[in-house]
Amino acid sequence: MAIDLAFVGAAGGETEQRWTAKDTLLYAVAVGAGHGDPSTELEFTTENSAVGHRVLPSFICVAARSVLPVGFSVDMTRMLHADMHFELLGDIPADGHVRSTMRIDGIYDKGSGALIATTTDVVDFESGKLLARLGSGMFVRGEGGFGGQRGPTDGWASPEREPDSILTYETLPEQALIYRLTGDRNPLHSDPEFAVKAGFPAPILHGMATYGFTARALLHAVADSDPSCFGSMYGRFTKPVQLGETLEVQVWKTADGALFRTMDSSGDVVIDRGRMSLRSAR
């Protein structure tokens, strides 16, 4: 069944979410904080250390939940996460309570499939202030060719110079088993039989886990490890990551943040066309 273009501009239902320090600590470990040397990044992995507990900026991507508009239906077995963006307008509290609302911004014809672009506003429940805005692109295989617009392009290009920073992180063979506890229980990342049926030889790492590792790298390389300086991040998912894979994040600093991409150990790009901005000049 073809995707109904009449839903462009439609909003989903409002959802309410709460989280505690336990959730933010788990997320930090799930995206590699403290791996290899537990004495590092204690501000993200502990709540009772002298450094004080802080929250990784990309946690907002799992903390805020949203629902599609009533009546909008797609075949979830053919859907892939194509890209992700978030913008922070304030610090994420260790214990939080928010309301989230999604809207469909566009449905684009990519030939072999359709790209559904959404935005989710995340509002602090008590104050009513906008805390963050999330953007996501979902690619639905087999739903293209309807003659629609292809969608905007951003003109991203790799700088013609060596990266200013290269950060390398090893993922664990059990990384997906840890990350799934943050909320994404898709068996593609844990069940070998399901993974084979989906066309993979074994379970793969969550794309959003790779995204979280990359956000950690940007926090340390560009924002001086200070979450209050982290403004926004965008990346396009280009290749699945195998469990136990080594990730290399290449960072080119810009006047207001950085351009980046994430590679696997074979040299293939797994997150491309990356942009990151700072919330305040350093």
Side-chain angles (χ1 to χ4, degrees):
M1 183 175 67
I3 295 176
D4 188 350
L5 300 182
F7 279 94
V8 174
E14 185 178 273
T15 61
E16 182 180 340
Q17 301 84 33
R18 295 178 183 267
W19 64 85
T20 68
K22 181 178 179 180
D23 300 306
T24 61
L25 295 170
L26 173 61
Y27 177 79
V29 173
V31 297
H35 287 199
D37 185 356
S39 67
T40 63
E41 300 183 281
L42 287 175
E43 64 269 43
F44 304 112
T45 59
T46 61
E47 80 293 348
N48 54 359
S49 299
V51 293
H53 182 197
R54 305 194 74 182
V55 180
L56 289 173
S58 54
F59 172 75
I60 195 64
C61 298
V62 301
R65 308 293 179 183
S66 55
V67 294
L68 289 165
V70 174
F72 184 78
S73 177
V74 296
D75 184 349
M76 298 300 293
T77 66
R78 293 190 289 167
M79 181 176 284
L80 301 171
H81 201 169
D83 59 58
M84 186 70 201
H85 171 265
F86 72 91
E87 177 185 8
L88 292 175
L89 291 92
D91 291 344
I92 305 172
D95 296 87
H97 186 190
V98 296
R99 289 180 285 110
S100 302
T101 306
M102 172 196 281
R103 68 175 180 272
I104 297 177
D105 295 325
I107 301 175
Y108 303 113
D109 188 346
K110 297 296 186 180
S112 62
L115 181 68
I116 304 170
T118 66
T119 296
T120 299
D121 286 343
V122 185
V123 176
D124 181 81
F125 191 87
E126 299 299 330
S127 69
K129 293 182 178 179
L130 184 65
L131 175 64
R133 179 165 284 141
L134 312 181
S136 183
M138 306 304 295
F139 184 79
V140 186
R141 294 172 293 178
E143 291 287 0
F146 54 84
Q149 298 180 355
R150 287 193 58 82
T153 58
D154 64 3
W156 192 97
S158 175
E160 295 182 359
R161 58 185 172 88
E162 292 298 309
D164 296 302
S165 299
I166 297 178
L167 294 88
T168 302
Y169 295 133
E170 293 184 3
T171 68
L172 303 172
E174 62 271 24
Q175 198 75 55
L177 296 181
I178 303 172
Y179 187 84
R180 71 190 297 270
L181 299 179
T182 67
D184 186 342
R185 302 298 180 90
N186 187 338
L188 174 62
H189 308 293
S190 57
D191 186 333
E193 291 186 7
F194 187 95
V196 170
K197 291 179 180 178
F200 297 94
I204 59 175
L205 187 61
H206 303 70
M208 288 304 296
T210 302
Y211 189 87
F213 271 86
T214 302
R216 266 184 59 236
L218 295 168
L219 174 67
H220 297 313
V222 185
D224 294 338
S225 304
D226 183 354
S228 66
C229 293
F230 200 111
S232 68
M233 174 182 171
Y234 169 85
R236 180 182 297 178
F237 303 107
T238 54
K239 181 188 175 185
V241 172
Q242 305 303 312
L243 298 177
E245 182 63 85
T246 297
L247 301 174
E248 179 183 281
V249 184
Q250 301 177 347
V251 182
W252 294 269
K253 291 185 179 180
T254 62
D256 63 348
L259 302 178
F260 69 89
R261 64 186 175 196
T262 303
M263 324 280 285
D264 63 17
S265 58
S266 65
D268 292 333
V269 180
V270 296
I271 296 182
D272 200 8
R273 310 184 77 81
R275 296 180 186 273
M276 177 263 191
S277 71
L278 293 168
R279 249 195 293 164
S280 59
R282 298 294 291 176

